[in-house]
Amino acid sequence: MTPSPRPQYPVASTRFSDPASIQDLIPAARALARGETDTALTALEVLATQRPDHPPTLLLLGLLAWRSDDLADAIALVRRAHDAEPENGSYAEVLASLYALAGDLNESLFLGKLATGMGLDATLQDLVPPDFPTFGQAFLAIEERPLATAARNAAARDRPEQAIRYLRDHLKLFPRDLEAQGDLVRLLLTEERFGEAAAAAEGLAGRRDAAALSLIAQARCAAGEHAIAAGTHDGAVMVPGLDPLAACQVAAHRLSDLWWCEPDTAALARACGDWVAAYCPPPVAARRRPSAERLTIGFLVAGEVRPDIRSAVAQICRAFNRQTVRPIAFGYGPATHPRNSVYRGAFELWRDVRQVDGATMARIFSGEGLDVVIDTAGFGCVDGVLAVAQSDAPLRLLWPQLPVAPDGRPYDARLAAGEADVPGGSMTGGAAGLSVLTFGLSDVPASRQAAMPGVADGQGGDPQSDPGPGLVFGCDMRPGQATREMLSMLAAIAMAVPDATIAIRDNGFSEPALTERLLQGFGDAAAAVTLVKTDSADDFCRYLDVAVAPTLPASAQPVVAALVAGCPVLTVAPEGPEAGLRDGSYAALLTAMGLGALVCDGPAQLIRRAAELALDRDGFVQLRDGLRARDRRRDLSASVLADRLEQAIRGRLTASGGDAAATQRGVAHG
């Protein structure tokens, strides 16, 4: 389509640009008019370097930025040209059009009047593409803050990168738009760009409302700044005058983050109980399970589900026997969204519950005829917890390693990796008073080892090889687990073990802000740190000689992946009577699997143990080869875990079927 010619304007009588001053810009201007941005950029690069403050060059660079949909840079460049020659109407007119495109009514109107009064420079108009809107055209089509609107539309179409770019450009133009700043922080958190989210949250510092404080705290916690996050969360819940819905959301976000910030697990459980008492509706009677043999299991994967949990759920669901189990997902966005790609092929049905409240979600559960609903997000999805509370599913389960109230509400049981993962060591109630449904990780009896595929004659695992001159110690942790204590312990290993390498799985640490924080935590040992980029925990563990489990546990994944790779795992024993609630996946799991020698009483002992492994190479090789000979691929495989989970659920449903389940729920939660 041929663009309509630009209307003719009076030529300014007070200022003419010298035509000779723009002759070398004409080829770039013609390329820009044809839409050939790469050609125009190539032609401008040398000129811009030679004369960075030349107004006509700045004008053309700004028009190139406009063509590339970068309004913020376009305005900044043309503004520099206008400031250099404020009496030239052409700069003012182009700038007025750009401000109109950005939705800034006041600036656009002011500059448009200025351009009209001074007239345009005929020489400079040769640089302006024919399809660039005049001030009049742009002003008539002005809309309020279009970049923010474009960002919302892009986010709704599941294009987060585009939405983030639009928001960043919008905030360059409107830095005081705190609503857009909050939208940017939420998007960055959702995309797990935690360092960027924490930096963006600094733009909310001027706000004192509960929603903004809660968002700042979430970003700080995700970046590992737990103490600041806890204090900010406390401030958010204390803001007076909150409506019930906002108070519910703010308090739930606090509980989700307190898993990382609150060392007193009993206090965390009490806080969960207070939230449930305040916001959860009364329980409904459990629906009697039909006699059909096929189990329908609903997995609530909406909201903020940790990546390690997403991976574990996906693997187990893919391994279910579809003749006996029908797994259904309830998540945010379509199954094709990049963030949901980890679940590809895992579920028989995907239900998008974005924009659905708890009561409606509970009705969706009922409509699918769920026998079991398993919550994998906990307080990371507020509506999900409320939906579970109102669900009539015969069995409502909570995924391991998520905070829960002392009496377990609104869940009927908590999944556990094994008996050692139960608070207080009880299989029927535990210290938290919540019954536990056990499945999964346990030791492999010696009588079964020879029967396992690929394990005969002790040749399981990866090929055995001698370690290099310096051992590689590695930690698969998230930014939220990179506490000062954890980084100090890893730094001490690097200082105590000659030629040691400390490998950290990237998990977002390559963001500049998080990289800086990581290196500061290591101090003088920073030179020993290597970031390993891989999406696979198994691939990361194959890079290691020794794995070090995070001191702040999140899931069993770091231990499981290391054991499957035949890699020794060092961990610190938990402290305090309630530590089992938080830890069960690391020290207790290793002990249950007959590897208690790898559990250390504290950081100092773990550092000594690391040094001993480095000095005693024969002992290290013997330990590693022993782990590989006891190959746990069979026992820790997704198919085995899926079968154990199915059998544990069937056993629980058989023991508390129909009316009994309804009665038990009414008594326990009444």
Side-chain angles (χ1 to χ4, degrees):
M1 179 177 177
T2 303
S4 58
R6 290 175 58 81
Q8 297 298 312
Y9 288 90
V11 176
S13 59
T14 57
R15 174 75 180 185
F16 287 93
S17 294
D18 182 2
S21 69
I22 68 164
Q23 285 306 306
D24 50 1
L25 297 174
I26 294 298
R30 290 174 178 170
L32 182 62
R34 295 191 300 267
E36 300 171 3
T37 54
D38 290 342
T39 303
L41 178 60
T42 301
L44 280 173
E45 280 180 333
V46 175
L47 296 174
T49 302
Q50 293 174 345
R51 48 192 193 198
D53 298 320
H54 183 233
T57 304
L58 291 172
L59 173 67
L60 198 52
L61 285 170
L63 291 168
L64 180 61
W66 160 78
R67 179 75 81 193
S68 303
D69 293 327
D70 191 343
L71 272 179
D73 279 356
I75 288 174
L77 288 163
V78 180
R79 169 63 76 177
R80 287 174 57 194
H82 171 67
D83 290 346
E85 296 187 5
E87 70 277 18
N88 192 313
S90 285
Y91 296 125
E93 203 247 1
V94 171
L95 194 54
S97 296
L98 291 172
Y99 272 116
L101 293 174
D104 193 329
L105 176 65
N106 293 333
E107 282 293 320
S108 177
L109 188 58
F110 170 76
L111 289 162
K113 290 179 178 179
L114 194 64
T116 302
M118 292 188 298
L120 303 183
D121 185 330
T123 301
L124 290 180
Q125 292 307 114
D126 290 339
L127 301 180
V128 181
D131 58 340
F132 182 79
T134 65
F135 164 66
Q137 292 168 336
F139 192 79
L140 287 174
I142 196 169
E143 57 179 293
E144 186 177 2
R145 307 199 171 184
L147 287 173
T149 301
R152 287 192 292 271
N153 293 337
R157 295 194 302 270
D158 297 313
R159 298 176 180 173
E161 287 299 326
Q162 190 178 61
I164 289 170
R165 181 167 62 84
Y166 282 141
L167 283 171
R168 289 195 190 280
D169 286 348
H170 172 81
L171 288 166
K172 289 178 184 177
L173 303 172
F174 303 98
R176 296 182 181 178
D177 187 345
L178 297 181
E179 181 180 355
Q181 191 79 42
D183 290 341
L184 177 61
V185 175
R186 290 186 192 89
L187 265 175
L188 291 170
L189 285 173
T190 300
E191 294 304 302
E192 297 177 4
R193 292 159 63 171
F194 302 130
E196 294 179 53
E202 294 177 2
L204 296 172
R207 288 178 59 175
R208 289 294 177 265
D209 57 290
L213 290 173
S214 177
L215 199 54
I216 293 170
Q218 292 171 60
R220 294 290 194 183
C221 183
E225 300 173 13
H226 298 147
I228 297 174
T232 308
H233 269 305
D234 291 343
V237 298
M238 294 175 64
V239 172
L242 284 179
D243 65 80
L245 179 59
C248 172
Q249 296 276 352
V250 168
H253 289 313
R254 174 176 176 267
L255 293 176
S256 181
D257 282 349
L258 281 184
W259 176 258
W260 309 102
C261 304
E262 176 55 72
D264 186 347
T265 52
L268 175 57
R270 289 193 298 271
C272 293
D274 293 341
W275 187 93
V276 171
Y279 302 112
C280 276
V284 300
R287 172 174 36 82
R288 181 185 292 275
R289 180 173 178 265
S291 58
E293 282 297 315
R294 197 179 187 208
L295 277 176
T296 299
I297 304 178
F299 285 84
L300 182 59
V301 295
E304 300 304 316
V305 183
R306 295 200 303 263
D308 48 355
I309 294 179
R310 293 202 298 264
S311 177
V313 168
Q315 292 180 53
I316 289 175
C317 287
R318 289 192 193 99
F320 276 132
N321 181 350
R322 295 302 174 89
Q323 301 299 314
T324 59
V325 175
R326 178 179 179 241
I328 300 176
F330 300 89
Y332 282 171
T336 54
H337 188 280
R339 191 167 185 266
N340 297 326
S341 62
V342 66
Y343 299 119
R344 188 174 294 118
F347 300 105
E348 196 164 300
L349 177 66
W350 179 278
R351 296 295 303 269
D352 183 358
V353 293
R354 183 175 45 181
Q355 310 298 329
V356 173
D357 62 21
T360 304
M361 200 184 301
R363 290 194 291 272
I364 294 174
F365 291 169
S366 184
E368 294 295 343
L370 298 186
D371 299 310
V372 185
V373 57
I374 299 178
D375 186 358
T376 69
F379 289 104
C381 179
V382 185
D383 289 319
V385 178
L386 296 174
V388 171
Q390 300 170 79
S391 172
D392 62 358
L395 187 56
R396 305 168 302 178
L397 302 177
L398 179 66
W399 194 261
Q401 297 297 321
L402 291 173
V404 67
D407 61 1
R409 289 187 298 166
Y411 307 97
D412 301 310
R414 179 175 71 88
L415 290 173
E419 184 169 358
D421 194 26
V422 181
S426 168
M427 292 299 297
T428 57
L434 174 61
S435 64
V436 176
L437 194 64
T438 306
F439 79 104
L441 311 174
S442 61
D443 200 5
V444 185
S447 60
R448 288 178 50 199
Q449 290 180 16
M452 292 182 187
V455 189
D457 301 323
Q459 296 301 313
D462 297 324
Q464 298 170 15
S465 60
D466 292 331
L471 293 185
V472 178
F473 294 84
C475 185
D476 187 353
M477 60 182 173
R478 310 289 299 173
Q481 294 170 289
T483 62
R484 184 179 293 104
E485 294 76 16
M486 184 69 208
L487 298 182
S488 296
M489 186 170 70
L490 292 173
I493 292 174
M495 300 295 285
V497 179
D499 300 320
T501 297
I502 306 297
I504 308 292
R505 186 177 167 201
D506 190 333
N507 287 330
F509 284 111
S510 56
E511 290 183 41
L514 293 183
T515 301
E516 179 66 22
R517 180 172 171 271
L518 193 67
L519 296 179
Q520 287 179 355
F522 274 90
D524 294 339
V529 179
T530 297
L531 283 181
V532 179
K533 273 186 169 292
T534 176
D535 293 330
S536 168
D538 295 333
D539 289 345
F540 174 71
C541 288
R542 294 188 187 100
Y543 177 80
L544 310 179
D545 294 313
V546 181
V548 180
T551 54
L552 188 58
S555 79
Q557 184 189 41
V559 171
V560 171
L563 293 178
V564 167
C567 181
V569 184
L570 296 178
T571 190
V572 175
E575 299 178 359
E578 300 292 335
L581 175 64
R582 186 182 294 274
D583 183 358
S585 296
Y586 295 168
L589 174 60
L590 288 173
T591 301
M593 300 182 80
L595 300 172
L598 298 175
V599 179
C600 305
D601 289 334
Q605 187 180 33
L606 187 145
I607 295 163
R608 287 196 300 272
R609 187 79 173 100
E612 290 168 0
L613 289 174
L615 293 173
D616 183 6
R617 291 307 180 91
D618 292 339
F620 167 74
V621 171
Q622 183 179 3
L623 171 63
R624 184 202 56 195
D625 292 349
L627 288 173
R628 291 176 175 176
R630 299 173 65 193
D631 192 328
R632 301 177 187 278
R633 281 186 175 85
R634 170 74 176 86
D635 198 53
L636 299 176
S637 69
S639 59
V640 171
L641 296 179
D643 180 67
R644 289 176 178 171
L645 178 57
E646 178 186 351
Q647 297 309 314
I649 289 173
R650 288 186 181 278
R652 178 59 181 263
L653 288 172
T654 300
S656 58
D659 296 331
T663 303
Q664 183 181 15
R665 184 175 295 177
V667 171
H669 297 164

